[in-house]
Amino acid sequence: MKVLVVGGGGREHALCWKIAKSPLVTAIYCAPGNVGISKHATCVDIKVTDIESLVRFAKAEEIDLTIVGPEIPLSLGIVDRFQEEDLNIFGPNKASAEIESSKVYSKNLMKKYGIPTAFFSTFYDYDDAVNWVKEVKPPLVIKADGLAAGKGVIICRTEDEAIDVLDDIMRSKIFGDSGKRVVIEEFLQGEEVSFIAFTDGENLIPLESSQDHKALLDGDKGPNTGGMGAYSPAPIVTPELHEAIMDQVMMPTVRALKEEGREYKGILYAGLMIDGSDIKVLEFNCRFGDPEAQPLLMRMRSDIVPLMSTISQGGVAQGDIEWYDKASVCVVMASKGYPGDYKKGFQIDRIDDVNKMDGVLVFHSGTSEDDDGNIVANGGRVLGVTALGDNIPEAISAVYKAVNHIDCESLYFRTDIGQKALKYI
Ligand code: AMP
Ligand code: GLY
């Protein structure tokens, strides 16, 4: 089977690494891929947004299965276009992907079907939004409706801050059309969990639990990023909580989408806030998390390809996924300055040494190769160093040994990834 993976970050590196282990697969291509991915797949220089070129490539190479990593091509309708051409593709279509690409759509869906989420209101008009902010008491959370590369959600502790944020989004249009509408919602306390499942539109096959670290700095301080590290399993998700998440969130959402005529096939990711036994949905994503995919895929024993292939062909998702009875921790190494401006081109040494460490893999995000064949930093999030251990403390110690061995003056990382899990074990 010939597989094409769309994307070029750490998540797609982990996917290509995992897919390369499948005995069903004879060739892997990745568009655009990156220098780390090129060890497992043939990288093809096509942008994830260039859907027509991707269609032409899949036809010319007779690709049997295309797997989409990031949300942008899904929200642009890559699945609809491939299906029009009778090409197999794994992921939700454009209408279903709206669960991520429009926060207004997803909040209204949750409200209509009683799926637990923060109290909210949506606004098209700046003055109405400001008046509402003056009525309800901060802290509150303002969310641009559309995709904004993880930057469109701002927590506001005071009324003035909230009004400034509304100015930026609705008047100065810092997120362009993504900020035409906003959701304003109550601020929730608790601990975040990523709950990710495969679905064929009716049946769900949940993955093991995981937890991301969205904030830039230790102790969850500083601005939000795309994710600075993740671990799996997340021991806060007890078997009881797992059941409750399936009953209160995952099953009702898949049913609701079907009821709305938007049957959802692919990966459904619920970003949850857990406060004791209380579960609330912060957001839905229409794809694997990045960096959650890295620790999850390292722990996955089952071949991932048959399930993705079945779902892409409209088959029934059944059976369980088998997992290694290990914990895994991924620490993201990012360019200093990220999520703001940063410099590129710094050389990174000793990645090969780290890849030789037992149970450790370095997944590449923003890297490239210079003319002398050195790996250099070329993006915001640069590496996702990921380690397996018999338990979370052992995985933490293995991953930081690896991270500290990577030699690059321009990379920053959090030093507390996984610490939150320790209080539960
Ligand atoms: P979202 O993209 O909606 O998941 O928001 C990004 C991040 O903002 C989340 O991962 C949370 O850390 C934070 N966040 C979003 N909504 C809320 C909320 N209602 N209360 C507290 N934090 C939130
Ligand atoms: N790690 C968060 C996300 O993928 O959206």
Side-chain angles (χ1 to χ4, degrees):
M1 183 186 274
K2 286 167 109 182
V3 175
L4 167 65
V5 174
V6 176
R11 165 184 48 210
E12 289 76 29
H13 189 174
L15 278 167
C16 287
W17 168 81
K18 179 71 183 155
I19 291 163
K21 293 178 175 299
S22 171
L24 301 171
V25 172
T26 51
I28 311 175
Y29 299 87
C30 188
N34 65 38
V35 53
I37 291 174
S38 66
K39 299 253 184 319
H40 317 284
T42 305
C43 294
V44 188
D45 189 16
I46 305 176
K47 288 202 186 85
V48 301
T49 48
D50 186 357
I51 292 172
E52 291 313 314
S53 296
L54 291 167
V55 166
R56 274 196 297 278
F57 178 82
K59 280 183 145 177
E61 292 297 330
E62 300 182 334
I63 299 292
D64 300 294
L65 173 64
T66 297
I67 294 165
V68 187
E71 63 279 15
I72 290 184
L74 293 167
S75 74
L76 292 173
I78 188 171
V79 170
D80 312 60
R81 269 300 288 132
F82 270 58
Q83 287 175 344
E84 271 168 27
E85 302 287 339
D86 282 330
L87 292 163
N88 275 336
I89 184 161
F90 176 83
N93 62 20
K94 184 175 179 173
S96 307
E98 236 194 314
I99 199 154
E100 173 166 4
S101 64
S102 169
K103 297 221 184 259
V104 173
Y105 175 74
S106 102
K107 291 292 291 191
N108 284 333
L109 185 84
M110 288 188 263
K111 188 172 169 187
K112 182 169 171 189
Y113 290 90
I115 297 155
T117 190
F119 172 73
F120 74 103
S121 197
T122 59
F123 297 93
Y124 300 76
D125 180 75
Y126 169 82
D127 292 322
D128 290 348
V130 169
N131 286 336
W132 201 72
V133 162
K134 287 180 177 162
E135 268 171 43
V136 297
K137 290 266 165 287
L140 43 81
V141 185
I142 299 182
K143 303 186 172 187
D145 175 40
L147 297 178
K151 294 178 187 163
V153 173
I154 298 123
I155 293 166
C156 304
R157 310 234 164 237
T158 65
E159 189 179 301
D160 287 348
E161 210 182 325
I163 293 173
D164 284 348
V165 167
L166 289 172
D167 264 355
D168 288 345
I169 300 180
M170 299 184 91
R171 287 185 154 169
S172 308
K173 303 202 183 315
I174 57 168
F175 302 123
D177 279 354
S178 284
K180 263 191 181 165
R181 302 188 289 184
V182 296
V183 169
I184 309 182
E185 69 180 31
E186 74 179 300
F187 175 80
L188 298 173
Q189 309 278 355
E191 199 172 317
E192 286 185 58
V193 162
S194 305
F195 197 96
I196 301 173
F198 284 95
T199 178
D200 58 11
E202 205 166 317
N203 306 289
L204 280 154
I205 303 186
L207 304 187
E208 290 269 272
S209 56
S210 58
Q211 194 173 70
D212 187 13
H213 297 66
K214 293 240 168 69
L216 179 69
L217 307 174
D218 282 2
D220 289 338
K221 302 273 181 346
N224 267 344
T225 68
M228 293 301 294
Y231 63 89
S232 171
I236 183 177
V237 184
T238 57
E240 296 73 40
L241 191 62
H242 177 104
E243 286 289 300
I245 293 168
M246 287 294 283
D247 290 348
Q248 294 173 33
V249 175
M250 302 303 286
M251 291 305 302
T253 302
V254 167
R255 271 191 233 117
L257 284 159
K258 190 166 185 187
E259 178 94 16
E260 295 290 307
R262 300 191 187 211
E263 195 175 49
Y264 189 102
K265 292 177 193 292
I267 282 171
L268 182 64
Y269 163 145
L272 305 170
M273 190 68 99
I274 307 296
D275 188 10
S277 60
D278 188 55
I279 303 163
K280 291 220 165 64
V281 178
L282 294 174
E283 64 167 344
F284 284 110
N285 292 324
C286 60
R287 44 151 181 104
F288 253 121
D290 186 349
E292 293 94 321
Q294 289 85 313
L296 281 168
L297 291 171
M298 256 186 104
R299 292 191 55 224
M300 192 182 285
R301 186 199 292 268
S302 303
D303 187 351
I304 198 173
V305 174
L307 186 55
M308 288 178 144
S309 178
T310 300
I311 291 174
S312 78
Q313 292 176 61
V316 177
Q318 55 193 354
D320 288 326
I321 295 169
E322 284 178 37
W323 300 89
Y324 292 110
D325 189 18
K326 299 237 177 213
S328 177
V329 179
C330 169
V331 174
V332 170
M333 300 182 79
S335 293
K336 285 180 185 161
Y338 169 80
D341 294 336
Y342 52 84
K343 289 196 187 131
K344 295 181 179 177
F346 292 94
Q347 188 171 323
I348 311 169
D349 288 320
R350 302 211 285 226
I351 292 180
D352 285 344
D353 293 353
V354 169
N355 272 324
K356 284 185 202 132
M357 291 177 171
D358 201 23
V360 178
L361 285 171
V362 180
F363 294 114
H364 292 231
S365 308
T367 58
S368 60
E369 213 165 20
D370 69 12
D371 293 342
D372 301 322
N374 299 307
I375 307 280
V376 296
N378 188 40
R381 292 190 290 172
V382 178
L383 300 174
V385 181
T386 311
L388 284 175
D390 284 341
N391 48 44
I392 298 262
E394 286 191 17
I396 293 175
S397 108
V399 79
Y400 278 107
K401 193 169 155 217
V403 164
N404 285 312
H405 201 69
I406 300 266
D407 187 12
C408 181
E409 57 180 290
S410 74
L411 295 184
Y412 161 81
F413 57 90
R414 274 180 66 158
T415 64
D416 64 346
I417 303 299
Q419 293 293 326
K420 261 188 262 179
L422 302 183
K423 60 180 178 289
Y424 300 102
I425 53 182

